[in-house]
């Protein structure tokens, strides 16, 4: 019980700090907010762009066999018939007649008991379609219905041959996309964990059936490496979970889960999708989507797909939870609770601000800005002029800035600045002319 309370308390602290420091807050808050929709403020935007950039670099730019795509949110409605979303994409739901709460049946501990009030007076479970509907064109009738995409991967399947021809790729190769997805989730909850509008980062890898399990294992290992080596997650904060039940076309499927304060939750899915997607789009579009292998006597192959699919918002939430820390060293000396040093220990490659330049006195602002101008071209930098130096360090700690550069009166004479490391708290004098080089080694990954 104590642990649950502690975890709730931690989540509350993170949500409130995220709001106060402009990371994430409710969309349309002045109207009371809209459930399941979240805005990223200035630091949240920087963090999100950095997470996307690192993922893109790791999954696309560094690989010769993965290409990028940026497709539309609205596709031809047939895409969602072919994918099976219009038929089946929904959760079984039940309503509690007592407290009126609505629950996803697969997430209930006991299907006959309301997790909210304990009543067993529940409606029969019924299916709820999660696709968000809109109309395209001037007439709002059934002939003009379209859907906001529920996942970013479907346009990848549809555009497979366009990308292949344009890039002259041969099997095996992948196509990746980062973009918005929309699901009319029944129970948006746990901050951004279950939102109705969210960003996915997906990669679909097209290969021959006989080599698909090797690729599945390859991508599982690559994705785990990304979490441990690039995002800095410790071994015990992540676990993998193989699906017990597989879709009829799949050979394997697993989730990578993170230990959130509210419990283990899915961060990423790695799925063997067989030839299901390509075959279905062939059938519905009446186009032959087979790959012709000219290196193999023109053999026709329906590509098998291995997918890695992760939410940017869940990654960010996991990072906020993983990197939040309270340094008690000062409090232990002074005995004052207000001296707790709250720090987001973000890895430098994704920190919203990588270097903050702090002139010791406002009189030094012009000179300090010259240092900022130099660094801001290459790194996410901030010039922070107001408040005592101690307060500014605290502020930078709270937004997770790994390095603070202090420009003092000596800097005018020796052309050097003091660099303070967020984690070791060590301070080092570095010549301004060497700063760029100094940071290049530290802020990359
Ligand atoms: P869940 O079981 O949590 O509903 P899912 O299995 O339906 O997730 P996928 O369809 O596999 O999720 O989507 C891939 C990834 O997209 C998930 O691992 C998650 O990171 C992200 N994602 C899915 N739904 C949401 C959502 N409602 N809000 C935020 N991120 C989401």
């Amino acid at each position: 019980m104590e642990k649950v309370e502690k975890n709730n308390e931690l989540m509350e602290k993170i949500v409130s700090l995220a709001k106060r420091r402009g990371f994430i807050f409710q969309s349309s808050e002045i109207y009371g907010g809209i459930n399941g929709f979240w805005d990223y403020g200035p630091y949240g935007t920087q963090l999100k762009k950095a997470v996307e950039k690192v993922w893109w670099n790791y999954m696309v730019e560094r690989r010769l066999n993965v290409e990028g795509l940026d497709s539309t949110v609205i596709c031809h409605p047939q895409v969602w018939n072919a994918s099976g979303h219009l038929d089946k994409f929904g959760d079984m739901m039940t309503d509690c007649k007592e407290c009126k709460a609505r629950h996803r049946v697969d997430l209930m501990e006991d299907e006959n008991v309301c997790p909210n009030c304990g009543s067993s007076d529940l409606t029969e479970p019924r299916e709820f379609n999660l696709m968000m509907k809109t109309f395209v064109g001037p007439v709002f009738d059934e002939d003009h219905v379209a859907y906001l995409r529920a996942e970013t991967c479907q346009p990848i399947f549809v555009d497979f041959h366009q990308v292949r021809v344009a890039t002259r790729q041969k099997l095996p190769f992948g196509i990746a996309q980062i973009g918005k997805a929309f699901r009319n989730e029944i129970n948006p909850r746990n901050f951004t964990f279950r939102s109705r509008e969210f960003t996915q980062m997906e990669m679909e890898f097209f290969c021959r059936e006989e080599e698909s399990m090797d690729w599945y294992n390859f991508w599982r290992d690559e994705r785990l490496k990304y979490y441990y080596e690039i995002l800095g997650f410790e071994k015990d904060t992540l676990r993998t979970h193989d699906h017990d039940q597989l879709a009829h076309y799949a050979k394997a499927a697993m989730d990578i889960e993170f230990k959130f304060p509210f419990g283990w939750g899915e961060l990423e899915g790695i799925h063997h999708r067989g030839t299901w997607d390509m075959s279905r789009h062939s059938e519905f579009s009446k186009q032959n989507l087979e790959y012709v292998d000219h290196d193999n006597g023109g053999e026709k192959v329906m590509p098998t797909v291995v997918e890695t699919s992760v939410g940017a918002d869940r990654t960010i939430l996991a990072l906020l939870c993983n990197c939040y820390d309270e340094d008690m060293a000062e409090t232990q000396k002074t005995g004052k609770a207000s001296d707790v040093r709250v720090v987001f220990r973000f890895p430098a490659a994704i920190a919203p601000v990588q270097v903050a330049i702090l002139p010791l006195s406002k009189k030094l602002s012009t000179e300090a800005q010259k240092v900022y101008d130099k660094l801001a071209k290459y790194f996410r930098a901030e010039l922070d002029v107001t408040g005592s130096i101690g307060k500014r360090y605290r502020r930078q700690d709270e937004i997770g800035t790994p390095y603070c550069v202090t420009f003092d009166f000596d800097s005018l004479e020796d052309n050097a600045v003091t660099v303070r490391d967020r984690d070791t708290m060590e301070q080092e004098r570095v010549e301004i002319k060497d700063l760029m080089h100094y940071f290049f080694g530290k802020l990359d990954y």
Side-chain angles (χ1 to χ4, degrees):
M1 187 66 186
E2 200 182 302
K3 194 160 177 224
V4 172
E5 271 167 22
K6 242 183 153 173
N7 287 341
N8 286 344
E9 199 186 302
L10 173 61
M11 207 52 218
E12 275 165 25
K13 282 181 182 173
I14 290 169
V15 173
S16 117
L17 181 56
K19 181 179 174 182
R20 186 161 54 83
R21 284 298 181 205
F23 280 91
I24 304 172
F25 35 80
Q26 273 248 294
S27 163
S28 324
E29 204 190 57
I30 60 167
Y31 291 101
I34 168 162
N35 202 5
F37 295 87
W38 299 92
D39 288 344
Y40 286 76
Y43 294 124
T45 308
Q46 294 274 64
L47 179 61
K48 192 170 176 208
K49 282 186 186 296
V51 164
E52 292 176 4
K53 186 173 161 225
V54 166
W55 185 90
W56 191 256
N57 179 254
Y58 183 79
M59 294 296 287
V60 184
E61 291 170 345
R62 287 182 177 197
R63 297 176 198 269
L64 293 171
N65 60 354
V66 181
E67 304 289 345
L69 181 71
D70 187 3
S71 75
T72 55
V73 162
I74 295 178
C75 318
H76 194 290
Q78 276 295 74
V79 169
W80 306 107
N81 266 328
S83 69
H85 281 77
L86 291 180
D87 276 353
K88 284 193 239 76
F89 189 60
D91 297 315
M92 295 303 282
M93 301 300 307
T94 178
D95 289 330
C96 173
K97 293 187 191 161
E98 194 74 33
C99 72
K100 312 292 176 213
R102 180 169 282 178
H103 306 289
R104 249 173 76 173
V105 175
D106 63 324
L107 297 179
M108 289 166 76
E109 216 156 89
D110 180 341
E111 288 179 16
N112 302 310
V113 179
C114 169
N116 196 39
C117 70
S119 162
S120 45
D121 195 4
L122 306 173
T123 60
E124 278 300 306
R126 56 189 168 197
E127 205 159 279
F128 184 94
N129 194 291
L130 299 180
M131 293 287 290
M132 287 211 194
K133 208 173 185 178
T134 186
F135 299 92
V136 173
V139 186
F140 282 20
D141 64 14
E142 282 305 304
D143 290 340
H144 295 82
V145 165
Y147 298 90
L148 306 191
R149 66 182 175 205
E151 55 186 24
T152 56
C153 60
Q154 290 303 325
I156 294 182
F157 306 130
V158 173
D159 290 347
F160 168 76
H161 281 292
Q162 308 257 23
V163 175
R164 180 188 62 74
V165 171
T167 57
R168 293 167 297 149
Q169 286 281 6
K170 294 177 177 179
L171 285 193
F173 75 97
I175 305 176
Q177 151 146 267
I178 298 180
K180 289 277 189 169
F182 300 80
R183 293 183 191 175
N184 199 6
E185 297 278 4
I186 319 302
N187 263 335
R189 65 180 185 289
N190 289 331
F191 200 20
T192 57
F193 181 84
R194 191 168 299 289
S195 306
R196 288 178 163 147
E197 174 176 340
F198 54 97
T199 298
Q200 284 188 316
M201 307 191 283
E202 296 194 296
M203 195 278 308
E204 308 301 313
F205 198 77
F206 300 85
C207 59
R208 284 170 166 273
E209 211 284 324
E210 54 272 26
E211 60 193 19
S212 58
M213 279 314 289
D214 290 342
W215 283 112
Y216 177 85
N217 292 331
F218 171 84
W219 285 111
R220 178 202 54 209
D221 294 349
E222 286 293 281
R223 297 304 301 150
L224 285 169
K225 201 162 105 188
Y226 161 89
Y227 287 110
Y228 295 132
E229 292 179 17
I230 296 177
L231 298 189
F233 288 101
E234 299 288 332
K235 288 268 183 237
D236 63 347
T237 60
L238 293 181
R239 73 177 184 193
T240 55
H241 170 246
D242 290 318
H243 289 199
D244 309 324
Q245 285 180 328
L246 292 177
H248 63 90
Y249 50 80
K251 277 194 168 165
M254 60 171 282
D255 298 334
I256 299 177
E257 298 180 341
F258 173 76
K259 199 177 193 177
F260 290 96
F262 46 82
W264 289 98
E266 174 182 331
L267 259 191
E268 167 153 357
I270 299 178
H271 308 128
H272 183 291
R273 296 178 72 122
T275 55
W276 164 258
D277 303 281
M278 296 304 282
S279 305
R280 291 280 289 189
H281 285 300
S282 273
E283 184 189 332
F284 279 72
S285 68
K286 302 192 175 54
Q287 310 262 333
N288 185 354
L289 298 182
E290 283 172 319
Y291 170 86
V292 181
D293 190 346
H294 292 294
D295 298 337
N296 232 337
E299 186 195 356
K300 288 187 174 162
V301 182
M302 189 58 87
T304 291
V305 172
V306 172
E307 162 183 272
T308 75
S309 171
V310 53
D313 311 84
R314 280 196 195 170
T315 307
I316 289 164
L317 184 56
L319 282 165
L320 291 175
C321 298
N322 194 50
C323 300
Y324 180 88
D325 193 18
E326 295 178 355
D327 178 354
M328 298 293 183
E330 196 60 26
T331 310
Q332 275 156 7
K333 274 190 244 157
T334 64
K336 283 198 253 165
S338 57
D339 281 336
V340 175
R341 189 170 78 99
V342 173
V343 195
F344 272 127
R345 298 195 191 277
F346 296 127
I350 56 119
V353 176
Q354 297 176 299
V355 193
I357 293 94
L358 318 176
L360 199 59
S361 146
K362 275 199 178 144
K363 289 182 198 141
L364 299 167
S365 299
T366 312
E367 288 305 308
Q369 184 161 353
K370 289 184 190 160
V371 178
Y372 165 81
D373 289 340
K374 229 172 147 180
L375 295 177
K377 216 167 145 190
Y378 301 98
F379 310 114
R380 290 183 295 280
E382 181 170 281
L383 181 68
D384 194 353
V385 180
T386 36
S388 73
I389 194 76
K391 281 211 175 110
R392 279 181 279 165
Y393 279 147
R394 283 297 165 89
R395 191 174 161 275
Q396 294 300 332
D397 286 340
E398 277 195 349
I399 59 172
T401 307
Y403 296 101
C404 287
V405 168
T406 308
F407 191 100
D408 54 29
F409 286 97
D410 289 343
S411 306
L412 296 174
E413 304 302 321
D414 64 1
N415 287 317
V417 285
T418 302
V419 179
R420 175 242 202 202
D421 182 305
R422 175 197 68 198
D423 297 330
T424 63
M425 299 286 273
E426 273 170 19
Q427 306 210 353
E428 198 180 339
R429 199 76 182 160
V430 180
E431 283 198 50
I432 294 171
K433 70 172 173 43
D434 297 333
L435 266 185
M436 203 80 75
H437 188 69
Y438 177 87
F439 284 126
F440 265 129
K442 293 180 183 285
L443 296 178
D444 236 347
Y445 69 94

